Structure formats: structure tokens, C-alpha cells
Amino acid sequence: MTMLSSYACALLLLAAWARAAAQPLGPSDSYGNPPRRDPYSDLYASPSPAPEPTPLASQRMELGPPGHRYAFPVYASLPLNAPGGLSQVRRLIIVVHDERRDARHSLRAIAALYAGQAGPAADTLIVAPRFPSMVDAGFHGMPAWRRTGWMEGMPSVAARGRPFPISSFRILDDLLRHFTAPGSLPALQTLVLAGHGAGAQMVQRYAVLNPLDESLRATGLHLSYVVANAESYLYLSPLRPSRTGRGYARYERGICPTYEHYRYGLEDLPAALQNYDGRLSHVQLAARYAQRHITYLLGSADTNPEYIGLDKSCGAEAEGATPLARGLGYWGYEMHARAKHTPIPAHQGFIVQSVGHNESEIYASACAAQALLGDGNWATNATCKALSPHSQP
């Protein structure tokens, strides 16, 4: 090959490389890593339509009691610092993001239900807290967590430039206290805490352990929880779905010695949570949880036992192989395997038809819209089937 032809080949290769380099890359993930497949995506899930863009931006809130204030990032459907801008708000929805920690996406998924309707847009406030990781940029001086500690109620990391460690459950406490303080939302009537995936795990455990529910309802507010496609649940006794597929029994500790430890059971509660529940007994916690208003949403297609992000620890596996199986198992446990002295729970459950582990799609269902927003003409896509008190796993 002549020197001239070699030079020409080199030019052709250089041009091809330049064209490839000029191709647009996908967005970086929530941790700032180079563009790649979302490590938490369900490889078998149907793609959902991209949410409509909104001008929402992260808003900085000051939370906590006097002398122990701290800054925390949230997204909100309305400006939180506009004088008089929240005077019409009758419904507050606090939605917790999933494993991706994309709080803006969670907010949009709910706001899409009433898109274009002036009434709900003015009287509904959606707040999506963003639980930062230690590696996230732009959250200096705010609480931050390692890995998924936030979804278990664990304290934030003690580090220079960060506030004193605070449980993520107390973040939710402080948000509720802030918005229910006199004058904050003068027309407020309804509070909803919702979460999908990891966020649902946090909301369900918070619903069991938080000390504020009854005192808020005593003021006339209606407080409820929406638990959508949780990958695991906090059980209130040693019973689990039987390995035979029929009924409930104690799980074999030889297979999983820690299946009753927190976050799957009430044994070995972390120090940060030991006094959080007021030192109630397991029986008292179960009785109190039965009276709280919970809606479980389970995607009928959330059945992949191998999707990346699914909790595969033995404590989670003791609850079932897939999120759907774990949700049905927990529903059956509440309806049939509870202690004799625990009342029948005031809870409701739904199967969302043809929906997998997908936040946008499950919130766009008729039963989710009802649980989140009440009666109305909402933009829903999926239908629901109510779980019977007689439903078994």
C-alpha cells in the first residue's frame, strides 16, 4: 500500500470516528455516571411515555425545630415562598421517589392526572422530597445518605459541612409539621403520603412507625398512605407466606436467621428507631397500624424475579419471589394471619391491570387517582381490580 493510500485510509477512519463521536448521548444517570442503561430499570417492562416538561425547579426548605434547623431540597407543584400562593390548598400530597431518586419525575407522574385543570392545580400541592446521596453535587450543607439508608428511616451521614445526623423518617415528620403548622396551609383538609418501589417501602414502614398520624387526624385532617409496588414490607409478627403456597407459618431461621430483623420484621430495630415509635409493643404497633388508612397498589405485571434492583436478601425472599407475590402475600397476611386481638385493618388493595414496575403507569390508574386525589375527572390509563378481604397469596 502506498503512502498516499495509507494516508487516505487514515483520513476515512478519522472521519468515521468523528461522526460516531458527534452522535448525541443519552442523559447521565441520577448519580452523574456516564450515559448507560438505567441500572434500576425493569428489562421486561413496557416503555412509558415521557412526561410533559414543566417549569418546576428544586426548592429549598428550612425544616426542624428552632435551634436545630436544616435545609432540605424538595420539588413542589406550587411555589412555596409566594405570599398567599398556598391559601387555596386543600390537599397536600407528599410523594417519595423510588430507587432512582428522581423526585421531579414522581411529582410529574401525579400532576399529570389533573393536567390542564385549573381547580386541582390551585387547590392541590404536591411536594416531592429529594433524599440526596453523599456523591450528589449541589446539596452541600444538607442531610445526605449512603446507598438506600433513606428508605429505611436511617440517619443521614455525619460529615463535615452536613447537619447533625437525622432519620429520614424525621424528615417526613418535619415536612408534615411544617405544612400543618397554623397559617401554613389554612384551607388544608387532606394529607396523602405516597411512594413507589423504594419510596413505597419507606412509606409503608413510616406508616407503621410514625407517631404523628393520630394527632394529625384528631385536628380534623384526613391522613392516608399510598404504597405502590413495594419490593418488601415490614411484617408485624414472625409469620410469612408458607413455602407450600398455602397459608402462613414461621419462616425457617435455618434458611434465613435474620428474616425477622428490621427492615422486614420488628426485631433488632436500629438505635435511631428504637425510641421513635414511643416504645410500643409489637401488639400495640399492629393494632395501631390496622387503624391507619393504607392503600396498596400492585402492578399485575410486576412479576420479574430477576429485574435489576429487586431486593434479593433472604429477608425479602421470605416474603415472596416478586413484588407482586410479596404484595399479595402481605395483603393475605393482614386479612388472615394477623393476631386474634388485632382488628381487621382499615386498608384497601388493588391490582393495577397490565402494569409492571413502573411509577408513571401505576399512578395513572383509576384506583391510584382515587387514592391520591379523591373523586374527579382524572386522566387515567389503567384499570384496577379491588383485592377482596378473602384474597390469598
Side-chain angles (χ1 to χ4, degrees):
M1 182 180 294
T2 67
M3 181 178 298
L4 182 60
S5 61
S6 297
Y7 181 69
C9 288
L11 286 176
L12 289 173
L13 288 173
L14 182 61
W17 176 85
R19 286 195 300 270
Q23 295 298 315
L25 295 174
S28 298
D29 65 20
S30 59
Y31 297 89
N33 295 324
R36 63 182 67 181
R37 179 179 55 78
D38 182 353
Y40 294 109
S41 64
D42 184 347
L43 299 179
Y44 298 92
S46 300
S48 58
E52 291 297 320
T54 65
L56 298 173
S58 178
Q59 302 186 49
R60 177 189 177 106
M61 293 187 67
E62 293 291 329
L63 300 174
H68 299 279
R69 304 285 281 174
Y70 59 92
F72 200 75
V74 304
Y75 289 90
S77 59
L78 296 169
L80 300 180
N81 56 358
L86 304 177
S87 61
Q88 298 181 52
V89 171
R90 294 184 299 155
R91 179 179 296 265
L92 169 65
I93 302 171
I94 297 176
V95 57
V96 182
H97 52 64
D98 61 15
E99 296 93 336
R100 297 167 296 178
R101 298 181 300 112
D102 189 344
R104 184 186 299 202
H105 181 274
S106 301
L107 190 157
R108 286 173 170 168
I110 296 177
L113 289 167
Y114 59 79
Q117 300 187 47
D123 67 20
T124 302
L125 172 62
I126 308 173
V127 174
R130 208 294 195 170
F131 290 92
S133 166
M134 285 292 290
V135 299
D136 292 339
F139 299 99
H140 183 74
M142 300 183 186
W145 286 261
R146 291 192 177 95
R147 299 176 65 87
T148 57
W150 57 269
M151 77 180 184
E152 304 173 28
M154 295 296 98
S156 56
V157 173
R160 178 176 296 180
R162 303 281 184 183
F164 189 80
I166 181 171
S167 162
S168 58
F169 284 172
R170 294 198 182 275
I171 302 285
L172 296 183
D173 288 351
D174 288 341
L175 283 169
L176 289 173
R177 290 190 177 105
H178 173 87
F179 287 113
T180 58
S184 180
L185 299 176
L188 185 64
Q189 300 174 1
T190 303
L191 292 164
V192 182
L193 272 73
H196 175 268
Q201 294 185 68
M202 181 183 189
V203 168
Q204 192 263 336
R205 287 158 178 81
Y206 182 76
V208 172
L209 296 173
N210 84 78
L212 299 183
D213 185 295
E214 286 73 22
S215 61
L216 290 174
R217 285 193 282 137
T219 67
L221 294 171
H222 182 271
L223 173 58
S224 62
Y225 310 83
V226 177
V227 178
N229 280 343
E231 289 101 340
S232 70
Y233 298 80
L234 177 60
Y235 274 73
L236 307 179
S237 78
L239 300 179
R240 297 293 186 276
S242 172
R243 298 180 68 194
T244 66
R246 300 180 60 184
Y248 294 80
R250 291 175 178 266
Y251 200 70
E252 296 180 31
R253 288 191 183 267
I255 297 176
C256 184
T258 60
Y259 86 94
E260 260 291 86
H261 289 196
Y262 189 80
R263 62 189 170 162
Y264 311 105
L266 290 170
E267 290 183 4
D268 196 31
L269 272 179
L273 300 180
Q274 287 179 3
N275 294 318
Y276 180 69
D277 61 7
R279 305 296 290 175
L280 297 179
S281 69
H282 295 185
V283 171
Q284 290 171 317
L285 279 176
R288 188 180 71 175
Y289 183 60
Q291 299 304 314
R292 295 181 170 182
H293 300 289
I294 318 292
T295 297
Y296 301 106
L297 304 177
L298 309 175
S300 69
D302 198 2
T303 56
N304 178 13
E306 301 298 335
Y307 88 86
I308 298 173
L310 180 64
D311 187 346
K312 301 299 291 269
S313 67
C314 67
E317 292 286 337
E319 300 184 10
T322 68
L324 177 59
R326 293 172 189 180
L328 290 174
Y330 196 78
W331 176 260
Y333 163 79
E334 285 202 340
M335 296 299 113
H336 305 284
R338 65 187 185 282
K340 293 181 180 179
H341 41 71
T342 301
I344 297 175
H347 302 168
Q348 57 182 351
F350 297 91
I351 298 288
V352 181
Q353 304 293 349
S354 303
V355 169
H357 201 76
N358 187 298
E359 181 181 39
S360 296
E361 292 184 0
I362 204 162
Y363 285 151
S365 64
C367 46
Q370 172 69 32
L372 292 165
L373 296 170
D375 295 327
N377 183 26
W378 314 125
T380 60
N381 298 320
T383 59
C384 306
K385 178 182 178 181
L387 289 172
S388 164
H390 306 292
S391 299
Q392 294 282 351

